[in-house]
């Protein structure tokens, strides 16, 4: 009786839920990477044994991933006889849509979470603000959540204004440039990123699509751009989920002012970013927001509020003619024109 009481208190307390969710988050990221989520979506079922044989995966590991997903109703066993067969659970659709955030968190920031207490000690932090993130996985994750939550808004805004050349600042995998180049054979573009992993990924992906003649990727810091011939005839600049990395205010102001010098032909700048949520003290914080603000605070990276962005644009010589909130919490695309 006493044992049963003790056991049920362990099962129902909030601490157990937090602990189990800390295991399920990496399980979701792994299920995304191993195409377990895709198999469940496409086929409506997954037989662990068969899937592991086909993909050469360690069956016990995959079984535990599926068990962790089941705990949160992401998958569900669908056969009482064969415990190896799973189907999508009631929470599958939500998690499938938001899988990119889990990859971002788990693979992008694993080192930070493993060493959190170290990064809280001033004498052990290190010097670079990007010391603890994995650019390759952050770029891959951004491809997924970008395609799901951002690109329909972006494409609608792009269609308002004809162009043949564009630059993507903080281009990550360069997925947006590749999509534009595949859609229009006249299109030429240049991606800029300061992270060697992202630049490598972008160049490899461009090569795999056979687009090297029309798309270039330069390794440069967007806060201290160098003038170069690739920028001279660029009509549209865009930037996704990098703008906050240029803050604090004075550094970003200088970088944005310089854009019209570096890109003398630019008629438009579409800036998409996540701004400070100002949700302190709210218990139901949406997916992504807490992770975004948490990781950036640890890196010592200031996140501006939307009003701080709107105040900076005219100061930097850009007129904001419109902005559209997108399907990522506290995120918008700002439509800027040279003032
Ligand atoms: C969250 S990822 C987004 C990638 C891509 N724009 C997308 O939406 O899929 C941010 C990217 O900006 C790059 N970045 C951050 N600060 C930068 C800077 N100062 N100069 C150039 N690239 C930067 C990072 O390396 C990373 O690839």
């Amino acid at each position: 009786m006493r044992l049963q009481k003790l056991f049920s208190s362990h099962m129902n307390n909030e601490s157990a839920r937090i602990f189990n969710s800390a295991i399920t988050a990496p399980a979701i990221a792994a299920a995304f990477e191993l195409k377990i989520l895709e198999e469940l979506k496409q086929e409506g079922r997954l037989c662990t044994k068969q899937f592991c044989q086909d993909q050469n995966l360690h069956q016990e590991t995959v079984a535990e991933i599926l068990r962790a997903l089941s705990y949160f109703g992401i998958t569900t066993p669908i056969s009482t006889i064969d415990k190896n067969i799973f189907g999508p659970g009631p929470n599958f659709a939500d998690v499938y849509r938001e899988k990119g955030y889990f990859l971002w968190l788990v693979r992008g920031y694993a080192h930070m979470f493993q060493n959190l207490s170290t990064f809280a000690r001033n004498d052990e932090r290190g010097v670079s603000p990007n010391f603890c993130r994995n650019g390759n996985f952050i770029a891959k994750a951004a491809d997924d959540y970008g395609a799901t939550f951002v690109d329909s808004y972006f494409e609608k805004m792009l269609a308002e204004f004809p162009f043949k050349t564009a630059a993507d600042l903080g281009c990550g995998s360069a997925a947006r440039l590749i999509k534009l180049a595949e859609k229009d054979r006249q299109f030429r573009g240049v991606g800029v990123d300061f992270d060697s992993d992202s630049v490598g990924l972008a160049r490899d992906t461009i090569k795999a699509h056979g687009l090297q003649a029309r798309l270039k990727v330069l390794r440069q810091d967007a806060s201290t751009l160098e003038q170069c011939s690739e920028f001279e005839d660029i009509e549209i600049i865009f930037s996704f989920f990098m703008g906050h990395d240029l803050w604090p205010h004075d550094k970003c102001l200088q970088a944005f002012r310089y854009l019209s010098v570096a890109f003398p032909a630019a008629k438009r700048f579409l800036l998409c970013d996540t701004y400070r949520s100002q949700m302190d003290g709210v218990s139901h914080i949406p997916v992504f927001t807490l992770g975004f603000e948490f990781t950036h605070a640890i890196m010592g990276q200031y996140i501006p509020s939307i009003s701080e962005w709107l105040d900076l644009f005219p100061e930097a010589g850009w007129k904001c003619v419109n902005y559209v909130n997108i399907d990522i919490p506290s995120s918008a695309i700002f439509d800027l024109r040279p003032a």
Side-chain angles (χ1 to χ4, degrees):
M1 181 72 176
R2 264 189 67 205
L3 191 66
Q4 199 179 14
K5 216 169 147 191
L6 187 71
F7 188 58
S8 77
S9 88
H10 279 307
M11 276 183 60
N12 295 326
N13 70 17
E14 192 56 11
S15 163
R17 205 176 153 70
I18 296 165
F19 186 88
N20 292 337
S21 73
I23 291 166
T24 305
I28 295 170
F32 174 21
E33 286 187 78
L34 297 170
K35 303 203 176 358
I36 292 171
L37 297 181
E38 205 51 46
E39 177 85 1
L40 284 162
K41 181 161 194 280
Q42 297 305 329
E43 303 300 325
R45 70 197 289 280
L46 182 144
C47 170
T48 318
K49 200 170 164 195
Q50 189 62 50
F51 187 76
C52 290
Q53 266 171 18
D54 295 347
Q55 309 290 327
N56 191 19
L57 299 173
H58 183 244
Q59 196 176 323
E60 287 78 359
T61 303
V62 171
E64 285 307 308
I65 289 173
L66 286 159
R67 185 153 80 106
L69 299 184
S70 290
Y71 181 83
F72 282 93
I74 302 158
T75 55
T76 185
I78 55 176
S79 163
T80 44
I81 304 155
D82 186 346
K83 298 265 187 284
N84 276 304
I85 304 177
F86 288 83
N91 295 326
F92 180 82
D94 281 350
V95 167
Y96 183 85
R97 259 165 49 90
E98 294 176 347
K99 59 191 181 310
Y101 297 139
F102 289 89
L103 188 69
W104 172 87
L105 183 74
V106 171
R107 285 289 231 172
Y109 289 97
H111 184 70
M112 174 190 286
F113 287 111
Q114 196 185 2
N115 297 284
L116 200 49
S117 59
T118 305
F119 294 131
R121 295 191 179 101
N122 280 328
D123 54 356
E124 293 182 39
R125 278 177 62 80
V127 283
S128 162
N130 283 301
F131 49 95
C132 49
R133 59 180 171 185
N134 182 315
N136 190 350
F137 282 109
I138 287 177
K140 281 185 180 156
D143 275 359
D144 187 79
Y145 65 70
T148 310
F149 301 116
V150 185
D151 286 352
S152 58
Y153 294 95
F154 175 52
E155 281 157 19
K156 201 165 159 208
M157 288 171 96
L158 271 185
E160 293 163 6
F161 207 105
F163 64 96
K164 288 288 171 208
T165 51
D168 185 355
L169 303 181
C171 65
S173 70
R176 290 194 180 82
L177 289 172
I178 292 170
K179 207 165 164 190
L180 289 170
E182 288 194 319
K183 212 166 123 193
D184 177 357
R185 293 178 66 80
Q186 306 293 311
F187 176 80
R188 281 182 300 105
V190 56
V192 173
D193 207 291
F194 72 175
D195 181 89
S196 58
D197 291 337
S198 302
V199 170
L201 175 68
R203 286 183 181 153
D204 289 349
T205 319
I206 288 169
K207 202 168 167 198
H209 284 78
L211 293 167
Q212 309 93 299
R214 291 189 286 129
L215 298 182
K216 295 258 171 320
V217 178
L218 305 179
R219 186 167 179 211
Q220 280 200 32
D221 186 332
S223 62
T224 52
L225 281 177
E226 288 156 33
Q227 254 173 308
C228 53
S229 58
E230 285 88 347
F231 296 161
E232 272 166 19
D233 64 349
I234 295 295
E235 296 160 291
I236 293 199
I237 309 165
F238 50 82
S239 177
F240 287 79
F241 306 112
M242 182 211 66
H244 57 273
D245 284 311
L246 303 184
W247 281 68
H249 174 274
D250 290 359
K251 183 180 161 207
C252 188
L253 180 65
Q254 204 178 352
F256 272 38
R257 276 187 179 149
Y258 188 68
L259 289 180
S260 29
V261 178
F263 298 95
K267 301 182 193 75
R268 197 180 189 196
F269 175 19
L270 292 177
L271 173 75
C272 176
D273 209 1
T274 300
Y275 47 83
R276 174 164 298 283
S277 68
Q278 294 169 307
M279 279 192 203
D280 295 347
V282 178
S283 56
H284 294 289
I285 301 176
V287 69
F288 188 58
T289 303
L290 181 62
F292 178 74
E293 294 183 359
F294 187 95
T295 49
H296 284 80
I298 288 148
M299 291 187 291
Q301 179 59 59
Y302 184 75
I303 304 292
S305 66
I306 191 162
S307 55
E308 285 175 303
W309 270 124
L310 292 170
D311 287 347
L312 178 124
F313 300 141
E315 243 191 299
W318 293 94
K319 184 177 173 198
C320 182
V321 295
N322 185 24
Y323 75 84
V324 175
N325 279 305
I326 56 169
D327 291 335
I328 295 179
S330 308
S331 306
I333 303 180
F334 301 94
D335 188 349
L336 309 176
R337 314 286 165 89

